Amino acid sequence: MASSVAYVRTEPAATLPPPIRVGGVVGWIRENLFSGLGNTVLTLLALYVIWVTVPPIIEFLFVDAVWEGSDREACVGPNVGACWAFVEARFPQYIYGRYPIEERWRVDIVFALLAIGLIPMAIPRAPFKRANAVFLLVVLPVVSLILLNGGDFDVWLSWWIMLAVGLAIAEAIVFLPALLGAVPFSDRLRPALVAMVPFAVLAAVFVVLSIDFGLMEVETALWGGLLVTLVVALCGIAASLPIGILLALGRRSDLPLVRLFSVIFIEFWRGVPLITILFMSSVMLPLFLPDDVSFDKLLRALIGVAMFASAYMAEVVRGGLQAMPKGQYEGADALGLGHWQKMQLIILPQALKHVIPGIVNTFIGLFKDTSLILIVGLFDLLGMVKLSLVDPKWASPVTPATGYIFAGFVFWLFCFGMSRYSIFIERRLDRSGR
Amino acid sequence: MAVHDDGAGAAPAPARRNSIIYDPKARGLFFQTLVVLGVGFFLYEAASNAIANLQRQNIASGFGFLDETAGFEISQTLIAYSPTSTYGRAFVVGLLNTLLVAVVGIALATVVGFIVGVMRLSKNWLIRQIATAYVEVIRNVPLLLQLFFWYFAVLKQLPGPRQSIPLGFGTSLNIRGLYIPAPVLGPGSGLVIAAFVVAVVGIVVLARWAKRRQMATGERFPVLPVSVALFVGLPLLAYFVAGRPITFEIPELQGFNLQGGVQIIPEFVALLLGLAMYTAAFIAEIVRAGILAVSKGQTEAAHALGIKPGTTLWLVIIPQAMRVIIPPLTSQYLNLTKNSSLAVAIGYPDLVSVFAGTVLNQTGQAVEVISLTMLVYLVISLLTSAFMNWFNAHVALVER
């Protein structure tokens, strides 16, 4: 019966207020900027910092900037911003340095080849990775050397003798088991042929380098700007990865002497600043070489940079090797793989994948460190910018800031690009769940 | 039947297995001998070439030059030095300048780095974006370029002494550097310094006593407020008791230059600013990674035990994060010290610029000068890594 019901509502309940918005722009702002008193104070503080810093920077870079002009007159005045006209006038020097103007097409071709080699390599889906790698690591360096320097090198007799002696030693080591009667000679023919491949490639490179293509010789002293930055960075990267891997394997080796040498080598190069290494390679290296051998200034700096980067790379790779579970090593041993097979097929592919962020960090560090070569008198991008600033034709209070901001932007673009690409690759290779 | 002569059951020839070539020991010995021969040949070649080259160029060798008169000025010296001092003393001056910029830089970079690192984890979106922008810009631009920017584009474009920019508290900035007030110790200031020392010692003793008492009885003692009171109050009390003995000499314009106070040369300011800002960006990332490395379960467990959020942070998160943070932090300190050698590019008289620069040019003894310079950095590095190994062993998680 209706009378047994104690309470019956006769009118609708009052409407509840709407919930605090959590979606949309307002909700987002409330959540992220004004969620409490402390947060609000922080937001106001941040707004103040932005207000103090951002408008003057934009004003300097764009609003008050000088875009056109032919000399310093355009960039002098009380409220003048960045002097972009100066950068525009000096732009070719920033790219090519003092490379002869009529020969700059050669540098352009090298840049283009580099892009043709690197872009498909960087896109994971692009085909022909192996051919691409051969192009980048063998063909491109030789072609670039010929194009940039002019080719027609003297490959001395002593180099050919060294090549022959090296080949003889390699073959002797390959045939050693057969010579000692451990295996028949026929088992060793294939490895012996494979061991010849690097020597054959080297000999081919020698032959190509000594051909006269009729190009004008351009000394490395004339190279400069972004060209030198890229040459040093790429050579350093190309040298540091293999040397670093070898050193890391040496440091983890069972042979005490190999381990000792690796540790000493790594700790020495890591323990001293790059500047002292560059000083050493430019001042001390000539002392250590025989009288008749003289290295080019750029080559000496390159050796220093490569040694320095290799030591850092070795420590990064060692981290990856140590992160491998012991079972991987034992599994490879149980399959009967030799030391190099074990490393090449089982350990390194996994270990290197682990340390991609570290490897890219080393590359970024190396790219930034190339700027130090200006201290030993080579003109990389930063060196060219610094050189251009002493020109009285353009000297004004704003040109130093403009030049350095431009150089900084170029470096930033390369380094930031590399770090983003590393994150992309890391995500792609990440097979952990998901 | 189609059974081969050597048969399926016959064992392979034992000679093939026991050959010396497949003995790991013999192989190890062989390859190590190869390595030693290679390295030995390399070193021998280098040494004999160096000796021959030095003899031909008539360059003196040995460290005797350290006792000769240097004959050049150094713009910033922490110990007494004049052009009549020896090369050895110039070396010490350079080393001290390096250590000075390294120590101050490390302190500054740590403070800025921790603040930016915590900012990157802030709940506030704007704060997070500012910190990210700072880190991404600074980390991806070469340090040398940043030093050039601060030195040539900012500090060298400042007005002269007559139009010094006042920064407050008697500090001012102009093209000749940063001028800060110098404390003048009058009679009786020994009391203030003594009070300061007493306060520091007292705080240490107090903290130990409070911890022991809490361990024994569970009673807490308000260590932090009492410490702050001691630290500020005691020297202040002594200051007034002794009749305000310490005064500040404020730099003032006299003629064409600022007189009085302490002048900090612009090279030092630029180097310090560049090093600290650059390293701080890396420290910020280390701090962020360290805090993120502490699993969320730790916070939740602490909250489940009823520990307050502030206490959770101090007693649960930070101690665990520090274990992750400190090893890479030490290597950043080392990097900062090594990077201080970039001083040579802007003319701050550090070890490299004084010794491997000026002294090398004057004496020409490349081998000795460069090796001595490298040795200093090597010793600093090895000491740091020895400390790091000790520390790692000290705080390592003991599992089973």
Side-chain angles (χ1 to χ4, degrees):
Chain A
M1 283 299 207
S3 61
S4 69
V5 178
Y7 170 74
V8 174
R9 187 187 278 281
T10 53
E11 57 199 66
T15 330
L16 288 171
I20 294 172
R21 284 180 63 176
V22 285
V25 178
V26 178
W28 183 89
I29 289 178
R30 200 196 301 272
E31 176 76 22
N32 286 289
L33 299 180
F34 301 102
S35 62
L37 183 65
N39 209 349
T40 309
V41 171
L42 282 180
T43 303
L44 294 179
L45 210 65
L47 283 176
Y48 176 72
V49 170
I50 292 173
W51 171 248
V52 171
T53 52
V54 174
I57 292 176
I58 290 180
E59 239 166 61
F60 180 83
L61 289 182
F62 304 109
V63 181
D64 293 340
V66 179
W67 299 91
E68 275 165 26
S70 54
D71 59 8
R72 68 185 295 274
E73 292 307 321
C75 298
V76 181
N79 261 327
V80 171
C83 185
W84 296 122
F86 162 70
V87 171
E88 202 187 323
R90 291 311 173 108
F91 191 73
Q93 287 189 13
Y94 292 166
I95 303 295
Y96 306 103
R98 293 190 291 133
Y99 210 87
I101 291 171
E102 64 278 11
E103 301 290 328
R104 284 182 182 168
W105 57 271
R106 282 151 56 175
V107 183
D108 292 335
I109 291 182
V110 171
F111 284 157
L113 286 177
L114 186 65
I116 291 172
L118 272 184
I119 291 172
M121 201 67 196
I123 298 170
R125 274 203 225 142
F128 309 119
K129 278 284 183 284
R130 191 176 285 260
N132 206 332
V134 170
F135 172 74
L136 267 180
L137 293 174
V138 182
V139 180
L140 184 65
V142 177
V143 173
S144 306
L145 192 58
I146 291 171
L147 272 176
L148 291 177
N149 197 295
D152 193 13
F153 292 93
D154 312 326
V155 180
W156 302 308
L157 189 64
S158 57
W159 287 103
W160 287 106
I161 294 172
M162 271 169 69
L163 194 68
V165 171
L167 179 63
I169 292 175
E171 293 296 316
I173 290 177
V174 171
F175 274 118
L176 202 59
L179 288 172
L180 291 176
V183 291
F185 272 93
S186 55
D187 280 11
R188 287 275 136 182
L189 282 178
R190 219 182 108 76
L193 278 178
V194 173
M196 273 186 205
V197 170
F199 292 91
V201 172
L202 211 56
V205 168
F206 277 7
V207 170
V208 172
L209 283 182
S210 57
I211 297 175
D212 185 1
F213 290 96
L215 291 169
M216 192 182 98
E217 190 190 344
V218 182
E219 291 171 42
T220 53
L222 296 176
W223 303 12
L226 191 64
L227 169 65
V228 163
T229 298
L230 286 178
V231 165
V232 175
L234 291 175
C235 289
I237 287 172
S240 69
L241 198 56
I243 301 179
I245 290 174
L246 281 183
L247 283 172
L249 291 177
R251 199 171 177 163
R252 300 269 297 158
S253 159
D254 295 328
L255 310 175
L257 280 175
V258 173
R259 203 164 54 223
L260 182 73
F261 284 132
S262 305
V263 170
I264 292 177
F265 188 92
I266 294 172
E267 292 302 327
F268 174 75
W269 294 108
R270 268 163 45 93
V272 295
L274 180 55
I275 287 201
T276 58
I277 294 176
L278 289 174
F279 270 136
M280 188 179 94
S281 62
S282 73
V283 182
M284 261 163 85
L285 195 66
L287 285 179
F288 291 140
L289 294 173
D291 199 19
D292 52 340
V293 180
S294 73
F295 275 10
D296 181 88
K297 206 171 173 184
L298 182 67
L299 187 59
R300 288 194 303 229
L302 262 177
I303 293 174
V305 169
M307 293 292 124
F308 183 75
S310 312
Y312 279 85
M313 192 62 78
E315 286 301 274
V316 171
V317 175
R318 181 168 74 111
L321 293 178
Q322 281 178 345
M324 281 292 98
K326 222 168 174 253
Q328 295 293 324
Y329 290 88
E330 290 165 352
D333 287 339
L335 285 175
L337 297 181
H339 179 260
W340 292 106
Q341 285 174 316
K342 175 170 75 177
M343 289 303 163
Q344 204 187 332
L345 299 174
I346 311 287
I347 305 297
L348 280 177
Q350 301 183 69
L352 290 181
K353 206 174 89 179
H354 265 290
V355 291
I356 287 178
I359 292 177
V360 176
N361 267 344
T362 315
F363 286 169
I364 294 176
L366 178 65
F367 193 85
K368 288 186 292 178
D369 283 341
T370 56
S371 57
L372 299 199
I373 61 173
L374 79 88
I375 290 170
V376 290
L378 289 162
F379 294 101
D380 75 319
L381 175 61
L382 184 56
M384 283 317 292
V385 170
K386 187 159 182 276
L387 191 69
S388 69
L389 292 176
V390 297
D391 181 2
K393 192 182 162 203
W394 281 101
S396 87
V398 290
T399 38
T402 314
Y404 291 131
I405 287 173
F406 169 75
F409 179 69
V410 175
F411 275 107
W412 183 84
L413 217 58
F414 277 98
C415 295
F416 190 71
M418 273 194 266
S419 75
R420 289 297 113 164
Y421 181 70
S422 128
I423 291 174
F424 161 71
I425 286 294
E426 235 174 281
R427 293 226 175 103
R428 219 187 114 78
L429 289 178
D430 187 13
R431 295 263 181 278
S432 62
R434 273 170 292 142
Chain B
M1 305 294 253
V3 176
H4 288 285
D5 283 348
D6 50 354
R16 283 181 67 167
R17 232 181 239 173
N18 296 340
S19 164
I20 190 167
I21 218 81
Y22 292 119
D23 180 11
K25 258 191 194 156
R27 292 194 121 182
L29 224 59
F30 173 71
F31 283 113
Q32 291 189 73
T33 322
L34 266 190
V35 169
V36 171
L37 283 179
V39 173
F41 172 75
F42 187 73
L43 289 181
Y44 170 77
E45 270 293 296
S48 59
N49 281 332
I51 291 169
N53 282 328
L54 285 176
Q55 269 173 354
R56 202 178 37 256
Q57 294 174 14
N58 260 334
I59 297 177
S61 56
F63 288 92
F65 73 94
L66 287 176
D67 291 327
E68 288 167 21
T69 307
F72 58 87
E73 291 274 2
I74 297 179
S75 60
Q76 177 191 303
T77 56
L78 293 179
I79 53 172
Y81 174 87
S82 71
T84 52
S85 305
T86 59
Y87 285 128
R89 197 160 180 90
F91 170 77
V92 178
V93 168
L95 179 58
L96 286 177
N97 281 341
T98 292
L99 292 180
L100 175 74
V101 80
V103 169
V104 181
I106 283 173
L108 205 60
T110 311
V111 173
V112 178
F114 270 78
I115 292 174
V116 176
V118 173
M119 276 167 70
R120 286 209 68 178
L121 294 170
S122 165
K123 265 163 62 181
N124 188 306
W125 182 83
L126 265 181
I127 294 279
R128 225 159 48 219
Q129 295 312 307
I130 291 177
T132 309
Y134 172 84
V135 169
E136 291 295 358
V137 169
I138 298 286
R139 273 204 317 173
N140 287 319
V141 174
L143 174 59
L144 187 61
L145 201 155
Q146 294 185 34
L147 291 180
F148 282 162
F149 180 80
W150 291 119
Y151 186 63
F152 292 112
V154 177
L155 291 175
K156 280 284 145 190
Q157 307 299 333
L158 288 174
R162 280 166 172 277
Q163 292 91 37
S164 294
I165 304 166
L167 299 174
F169 301 107
T171 316
S172 52
L173 191 66
N174 63 43
I175 193 166
R176 296 199 185 154
L178 182 70
Y179 288 77
I180 56 172
V184 179
L185 303 179
S189 33
L191 191 66
V192 180
I193 296 169
F196 181 74
V197 173
V198 168
V200 170
V201 173
I203 288 168
V204 172
V205 173
L206 182 77
R208 291 192 155 194
W209 170 79
K211 190 164 185 187
R212 249 207 327 272
R213 196 179 73 146
Q214 195 186 349
M215 285 294 172
T217 65
E219 280 177 73
R220 291 221 203 148
F221 185 82
V223 177
L224 191 67
V226 174
S227 303
V228 171
L230 265 181
F231 192 75
V232 178
L234 216 54
L236 213 61
L237 191 73
Y239 179 69
F240 284 108
V241 167
R244 299 207 253 173
I246 301 177
T247 49
F248 284 95
E249 186 189 68
I250 292 174
E252 273 163 20
L253 188 68
Q254 278 174 11
F256 291 107
N257 212 345
L258 290 178
Q259 298 292 330
V262 177
Q263 180 205 0
I264 302 174
I265 54 173
E267 290 82 16
F268 181 83
V269 179
L271 186 62
L272 185 67
L273 206 63
L275 281 176
M277 284 185 72
Y278 185 73
T279 315
F282 287 89
I283 291 179
E285 284 301 275
I286 291 169
V287 169
R288 185 178 76 103
I291 294 175
L292 285 180
V294 180
S295 82
K296 207 160 188 286
Q298 297 286 327
T299 319
E300 290 167 351
H303 287 171
L305 287 174
I307 303 174
K308 279 181 274 182
T311 322
T312 307
L313 186 69
W314 281 106
L315 295 182
V316 179
I317 312 278
I318 289 183
Q320 297 189 69
M322 284 318 262
R323 183 179 290 146
V324 183
I325 289 172
I326 287 192
L329 190 65
T330 343
S331 74
Q332 284 305 324
Y333 289 169
L334 201 56
N335 278 348
L336 189 146
T337 312
K338 287 191 286 179
N339 281 337
S340 71
S341 58
L342 292 182
V344 68
I346 55 170
Y348 172 74
D350 82 320
L351 179 66
V352 171
S353 132
V354 168
F355 201 61
T358 319
V359 174
L360 175 60
N361 281 340
Q362 290 196 2
T363 62
Q365 291 192 285
V367 179
E368 289 86 354
V369 168
I370 301 272
S371 9
L372 207 55
T373 314
M374 284 184 151
L375 191 70
V376 168
Y377 286 102
L378 214 53
V379 167
I380 296 176
S381 300
L382 292 180
L383 283 182
T384 311
S385 55
F387 164 77
M388 222 158 75
N389 288 343
W390 170 82
F391 180 85
N392 272 338
H394 195 71
V395 301
L397 267 186
V398 182
E399 286 179 330
R400 273 167 285 151

